[in-house]
Amino acid sequence: MKQDKFKVLGGVVTFNPDTSRFTENLRTLVNQVDELYVFDNGSKNLGDIEKILNQFSTNVVLHKERKNAGIAYALKKIMEYANKRDFNWVLSVDQDSVLDSKLVDEYKKNILNYKNDDIGMLTCLIKDRNFEDKSVEKQKERLKEVPICITSAAFTNV
């Protein structure tokens, strides 16, 4: 896959997000994707979410669900949106995640350097501020097949 074949949709699922953390999240995300799709699961602070999204000049789509349909349903709808609009990859991000500013560039490098074209999903080493995980610091491989991935900061092949 060549570098110009990366059309990336950023997908965020929201449900009553903390607005300052959500804003910080979007600042690390919008410059890494071609378009941002926010699926809101019936948040009570939808007006605040809309004000935050209006601050960003990137292409932003806000889907407003009347009730909480759940994370799996929201992720499915994000992927369907990406597929219909010919995106190659979806970067799914939790509403409270803050990404490294070079995350998508790193994902692209790994995909371009990988010999096989059948990567379904990439994920990064996650440092959760809520608990300590020494295994994160011990991994030496740049790219390693793993049995499970979390969806936040996952780069999924459409």
Side-chain angles (χ1 to χ4, degrees):
M1 181 178 288
K2 292 185 178 175
Q3 185 76 20
D4 61 345
K5 301 274 185 174
F6 286 104
K7 186 176 174 191
V8 180
L9 176 70
V12 182
V13 180
T14 56
F15 181 69
N16 301 322
D18 173 273
T19 55
S20 62
R21 185 72 173 190
F22 182 57
T23 303
E24 186 181 0
N25 169 339
L26 295 181
R27 283 191 182 120
T28 65
L29 175 60
V30 295
N31 294 325
Q32 299 190 62
V33 297
D34 298 297
E35 187 174 325
L36 178 63
Y37 185 92
V38 177
F39 185 103
D40 183 73
N41 257 325
S43 294
K44 292 177 182 169
N45 61 346
L46 185 58
D48 294 333
I49 292 169
E50 290 174 317
K51 285 178 192 171
I52 292 166
L53 293 175
N54 287 334
Q55 296 174 24
F56 297 96
S57 62
T58 205
N59 292 334
V60 177
V61 174
L62 174 61
H63 173 87
K64 303 171 197 175
E65 198 68 22
R66 291 180 185 216
K67 62 182 173 73
N68 191 341
I71 187 85
Y73 179 80
L75 291 170
K76 175 184 171 213
K77 290 297 183 183
I78 290 169
M79 192 59 74
E80 287 174 356
Y81 179 90
N83 190 40
K84 286 179 185 172
R85 285 154 186 83
D86 296 321
F87 284 90
N88 307 100
W89 295 89
V90 170
L91 177 62
S92 55
V93 181
D94 289 348
Q95 68 186 17
D96 61 349
S97 296
V98 178
L99 305 175
D100 182 280
S101 64
K102 304 270 189 228
L103 181 64
V104 172
D105 288 339
E106 287 299 316
Y107 282 152
K108 289 176 182 180
K109 281 186 217 172
N110 279 290
I111 291 166
L112 290 169
N113 291 331
Y114 192 65
K115 306 282 186 272
N116 198 334
D117 222 15
D118 64 354
I119 294 175
M121 178 186 283
L122 288 176
T123 191
C124 56
L125 290 173
I126 304 296
K127 291 186 182 182
D128 190 322
R129 61 189 164 131
N130 298 314
F131 66 90
E132 187 175 334
D133 182 1
K134 299 244 186 233
S135 67
V136 169
E137 306 299 330
K138 292 179 183 175
Q139 182 174 326
K140 302 230 183 314
E141 304 92 347
R142 184 160 176 79
L143 190 62
K144 175 181 176 180
E145 188 170 332
V146 294
I148 60 170
C149 294
I150 67 170
T151 55
S152 188
F155 202 55
T156 306
N157 191 332
V158 177

